[in-house]
Amino acid sequence: MIEIENITKRYDKQTVVNDVSMVVEPRTIAAIVGTSGSGKTTLLRMINRLVEPTSGTIKLDGVDNHSLPDYELRRSIGYAIQGHGLFPHRTVAQNIATVPLLLGWDRERIDERVDELLKLFQLDPADFGPRYPHELSGGQQQRVGVARALAAKPNVLLMDEPFGALDPIIRTKAQEDLLAIQKHFGTTIILVTHDMEEAVHLGHKIAVMDGGKLVQYARPAEILAKPASSFVETLVGSSERPFRLLSLGRVGDAVEKGSAEGEAIPADASQRDALAELLWTGKPALPVKDTDGKALGRVTVDGLVKLAARPA
Ligand SMILES: Nc1ncnc2c1ncn2[C@@H]1O[C@H](COP(=O)(O)OP(=O)(O)OP(=O)(O)O)[C@@H](O)[C@H]1O
C-alpha cells in the first residue's frame, strides 16, 4: 500500500506538487494523468526519493519512506522510465541482475530470476540474455527495462511513461504483459502516462493532476461518468467517452439469451471490440462463446448501445 499524505514540492516560489493526498491499495495499479508540467513525474519521484518533498509524508506498507537511507529505499522499489535507461555496456542478463547483485543474492538465485523474467516477457533466455541493449528492438529493450525494475521482486513499481516511445501494436502488447505480470506478482504499480486510453485500460484508479493539484482520484468508470471538473472532462475526451466506457466492460457481462449467426466473440473480449466487430460485419447480433468454446448466448448492437450511455 502506498499512502501519500499532504505532499508538497516547491522550487523557489513555484509549487509544482500542491498538497496531494492519495492511497494506492495493495496489488492495484494507479495511473496518473494530466497535462505537461502538472507535476506527475515530481510526485512519482518523491515516492522513491529521487526528489525530496518540501512537506508531507509518504508511507509504503505503513513505513515512512524517510525511515531508511535513500539508496536502500530505491533498491526496494522498481522504477521504469521512458527510454528504459538500460546500461549499454552490460548484457541483457547483467542489466536485469543489477539490483539482485547489489542486494547480495547468490549467483544461482540471480540466474534463476533472470531466466524467469526473460521467459515471462517472452524473450528466450539463451538467445537474449547474452545480447547487448543495442542488439534489441525498442519494444524488446522496453520489456528488459521493466524486467530489470521487477528483478528484486519489489512490492512497488513506479513507471514513468514506460510505453511512450512504442508503436501502437507493441504498446498494446507491452500493456498486456504488464497486466499479466501485475497479476502474477501482485505488484502495486503507479504509472504516469499521457495517454487516457492507457490509463483507462490499466488503472484500477486514475489520478488526474492539474497545476500541481490532484483534481480527481477515482475508478475509471467514475472519472468517465462523473468528471470532477471541466478540465477532467476535456482530458477524458467527451467524444471518446462511450467507447472508453465500453472498453472497461467484458462481453461476458453483456450476453443476452438467444442465438446469432456469424463468428463467435469470446466472452473475455472487451465490449468495445464487440461493438467494433458488430459494426464492421453489419450484423445486429453475434454469438458469444466462453474460453472452452461453449456457446453462452449473443451480444447485440442494441444491448451495447445501452451500456455505452451515461450511467444514471
Ligand atoms: N529540478 C527542478 N527545478 C525547478 N523546477 C522543476 C524541477 N523539476 C521539475 N520542475 C518543474 O516542475 C513542474 C512539474 O514538472 P513535472 O516533470 O513533475 O511535470 P509532468 O507532469 O511530469 O510533466 P510532463 O508530462 O511534461 O513530463 C514543471 O513546471 C517543471 O518545470
Side-chain angles (χ1 to χ4, degrees):
M1 172 147 73
I2 305 168
E3 293 165 277
I4 298 173
E5 294 167 1
N6 306 106
I7 209 87
T8 291
K9 178 66 187 178
R10 267 184 226 107
Y11 289 108
D12 297 325
K13 288 203 181 89
Q14 196 196 0
T15 306
V16 300
V17 172
N18 193 346
D19 197 23
V20 168
S21 298
M22 61 188 269
V23 173
V24 185
E25 296 296 336
R27 300 169 173 264
T28 66
I29 302 179
I32 306 181
V33 297
T35 44
S36 180
S38 57
K40 305 181 295 292
T41 296
T42 306
L43 178 63
L44 194 75
R45 288 172 155 227
M46 286 194 281
I47 298 170
N48 63 2
R49 286 177 54 201
L50 284 170
V51 171
E52 290 293 349
T54 308
S55 61
T57 50
I58 296 177
K59 290 185 197 148
L60 302 167
D61 292 329
V63 180
D64 189 324
N65 73 344
H66 276 80
S67 65
L68 64 169
D70 57 359
Y71 62 88
E72 228 173 88
L73 177 80
R74 284 199 279 278
R75 283 176 199 170
S76 71
I77 298 177
Y79 185 48
I81 53 172
Q82 181 170 359
H84 23 80
L86 297 177
F87 303 119
H89 304 300
R90 292 194 201 164
T91 65
V92 164
Q94 287 166 341
N95 263 284
I96 297 175
T98 306
V99 176
L101 210 59
L102 285 170
L103 292 172
W105 289 20
D106 63 47
R107 193 69 254 171
E108 201 180 336
R109 188 171 167 214
I110 293 177
D111 290 347
E112 265 174 29
R113 181 66 176 157
V114 169
D115 274 21
E116 181 192 13
L117 281 164
L118 282 172
K119 282 185 198 145
L120 212 58
F121 282 91
Q122 288 155 24
L123 297 167
D124 174 24
D127 181 3
F128 287 92
R131 292 202 204 180
Y132 286 89
H134 75 269
E135 296 170 315
L136 305 180
S137 74
Q140 289 163 346
Q141 288 183 30
Q142 188 58 52
R143 278 184 267 165
V144 173
V146 179
R148 186 179 62 176
L150 289 167
K153 304 193 180 180
N155 283 332
V156 171
L157 174 61
L158 309 178
M159 308 183 89
D160 198 345
E161 291 274 351
F163 310 132
L166 303 181
D167 71 55
I169 291 173
I170 301 200
R171 190 176 178 126
T172 306
K173 171 81 183 65
Q175 291 171 347
E176 295 315 314
D177 280 352
L178 183 71
L179 280 178
I181 276 152
Q182 193 265 340
K183 278 204 187 106
H184 186 89
F185 293 120
T187 319
T188 306
I189 299 176
I190 300 196
L191 168 88
V192 167
T193 176
H194 269 106
D195 180 355
M196 198 64 195
E197 193 96 26
E198 183 164 283
V200 168
H201 182 46
L202 297 180
H204 295 98
K205 282 178 108 175
I206 298 177
V208 183
M209 302 272 299
D210 183 23
K213 288 208 162 116
L214 179 63
V215 291
Q216 191 167 11
Y217 181 48
R219 291 179 342 104
E222 193 177 335
I223 298 253
L224 293 171
K226 294 179 192 148
S229 65
S230 55
F231 171 77
V232 179
E233 191 160 355
T234 310
L235 206 68
V236 162
S238 36
S239 64
E240 290 288 327
R241 264 185 316 201
F243 307 107
R244 293 201 164 124
L245 213 52
L246 285 182
S247 74
L248 289 170
R250 299 294 111 193
V251 171
D253 298 320
V255 175
E256 299 171 30
K257 284 197 187 118
S259 58
E261 291 297 309
E263 193 165 337
I265 297 182
D268 61 356
S270 79
Q271 293 169 2
R272 180 185 184 143
D273 288 344
L275 181 63
E277 192 60 24
L278 284 160
L279 295 176
W280 189 246
T281 54
K283 294 190 155 91
L286 281 169
V288 178
K289 61 177 183 192
D290 68 10
T291 38
D292 301 326
K294 195 175 121 225
L296 295 177
R298 61 181 186 166
V299 62
T300 65
V301 174
D302 289 349
L304 291 176
V305 165
K306 285 197 188 97
L307 289 171
R310 177 192 283 272

